[in-house]
Amino acid sequence: MADARPFHWEYVPEPVTREIFRVEGGQPLHGTVPISGAKNAALKMLAAATLTGERCRFTNVPEIEDVRVMTETLRDLGVVVDHPEPNVYEIASGDVEWLFVPLEAAAKMRASFMLLGPLLARFGRVIISNPGGDRIGRRPVDLHVQAMRTLGAQIDYRNGYYFATAPGRLRGTEIRFPVVSVMGTENAMLAATLADGHTIIRPAAREPEIDDLIVFLQKMGAGVERTYPDTIEIEGRKRLRGAEHRVMPDRIETGTFIVAAAVTGGRLTLEGAAGEHLGGFLDVMRDAGVGVECGSDRIEVDSTAVGPGQFTPCAVETAPYPGLATDLQPPTCVLLSQAAGRSTVHEAIFEDRLEWLGELRRMGAEIELLDDHHAAITGPARLRGTEVEIGDLRAGASLILAALAAHGATTIHGAHHVHRGYEDIERKFLDVGARIERVDEAEPADRP
Ligand code: UD1
C-alpha cells in the first residue's frame, strides 16, 4: 500500500497546563553553565537498548520531556526502565510484551520511530505509528521504511500505522540513501546490527551523535564501524549484550548558550561542552566576531569586547554535519539580528523552519522572509519585549535568547515545546544572572 500522508500529520498534543516564560531583558549573562547530555544521542541509545535482553545503563542522560516520552513508550512495551538517580537510566528489555508503538508516543515525538529498526531486527515484527513530531514542515519517514525493505522487511501502511514483519532474520545488504538522513541512517544501522551478513550504508549521515551511538553499539558487541566519513559498515551478529555508556554533551544546547552570551554582551563558561562537535556553527560565530575559545572540556564565550550591535553580518546556510546545523539556525538568526548590516539565511534542510522569524520580527527585528527557505535579516535591531508564541523546540529557545537581549519584558507562550529538549533551562539562565521565570498560563501574567 502507498505511504500516504496520514490524517494526524501535524497533530502535536497540547499539555493540560500551559506554561509561559516571563523574561526581563537587558542583563548581560556571566558565569558557568553545565552542558547536559545530548538529546539526539540519548533518545537513540534508549531505543538501541531494546536490541538486547540484557541490562543497559546510561549516564549523563538529559532530564527532558522527550526522554520521558521515550522511557514511557518503552515501559508500555513491557521494557523495564529504572531511573535510580538523576540523569541515569537503566533499561532491561528481556520481556517485551507489546510490539506496538502507538500514535500517542509518535505524535509527541518523532524519535519514537527509532524503535522500528531495533524491534523489527530483534523480534521480527512491530506495528508503529507514523510520527508527527515538531511542526517544521513535512517530516516523512519514507527513507526509514525503504531501508527496512532493503534489509528484507515487509511493511504495509494502514490507517496511520506501519505493519512491519521480517520473515526470519533481516538480511545484510547495501543501503543507498537518496538524501542524507540522520535518523534514517541510525534506524538502518540499528536494524543491521542483528541482520544476517554485511550491510553498507551510504551516504551515512555524519552527525557526532551517530558516532556516539556507534561507540555504544560496539560496547554491546555489535560489528559496526564508520569506514569512510560518509559510509557505515555493519557485520550482523546473532545477539548483542548489555553495556554502559555516558551520553556525549549536547551541541545544540551548547550553541544556544554561546548565542546567549553573545547577544547579552556577557561572558559564559560552558562546562562539559565539546567545541569539536559544533562544525559550521563555530565558523559562523567567529565570522560574526563572537569571542569563542574551545578547551578540552569547556568553551569560553566572551562578548564584552565585541557585543550586540557590533557583530559582522554573514551569509549562512544550514547543511548536514559538519555544516551549520539546522537546529542552530534559530539561535544564529537571533545573533544576526544584532549584526551591523544585512545578513542572509538559507534554511536548506526543512520547509517552514523560518516561520518562527515572524515572532522575532514582532520583537523588533528587521526581517524579510523571501520564501520558505530564504530570509534576510538587517541589524542591529533594538529588540523590545512583547508577547510571543513558541511553535517548536528550537524556535522556543531562540525566543528566550531574543527576550534576554531585548529591552523590557517578554511573555513567551508555549513553554512546553522548550522542555522537550532543554534540561532545566530557566534554572541555567537564572544561575548566570538572567531574569526569567516559568509560570502557569492560568496565573494572571503582567502582560507588557
Ligand atoms: C534529526 C534530528 C533533528 C535535526 C535533523 C537534521 C533527532 C531526534 N532529530 O532529525 O533535531 O533537525 O536531524 O539535522 O535526531 N527526509 C525524508 N524522508 C525521510 C527522512 C528524512 O525525505 O524518511 C528528509 C527530511 O524531510 C529533511 C531531510 O531528509 O528534509 C533531513 O532530515 P533528517 O536528517 O532525516 O532529520 P531527522 O533524522 O528526522
Side-chain angles (χ1 to χ4, degrees), residues 39-41 43-44 110-111 114 134 136 138-145 179-184 186 205 207 251 319-320 325-327 348-351 353 394:
K39 165 176 100 67
N40 287 352
L43 293 174
K44 323 312 171 45
R110 182 178 164 77
M114 281 305 308
D134 276 337
I136 41 171
R138 292 181 61 235
R139 299 284 298 262
V141 285
D142 56 306
L143 300 175
H144 303 229
V145 172
V179 294
V180 182
S181 164
V182 174
M183 280 202 279
E186 293 168 328
E207 271 64 9
R251 65 195 163 99
T326 172
D327 290 349
I349 309 289
F350 292 112
E351 300 165 23
R353 247 198 187 184
R394 303 302 173 190

Side-chain angles (χ1 to χ4, degrees), residues 209-220:
E209 291 78 12
I210 300 181
D211 292 277
D212 205 30
L213 181 60
I214 289 176
V215 172
F216 170 62
L217 290 169
Q218 288 168 341
K219 290 178 186 172
M220 293 177 86

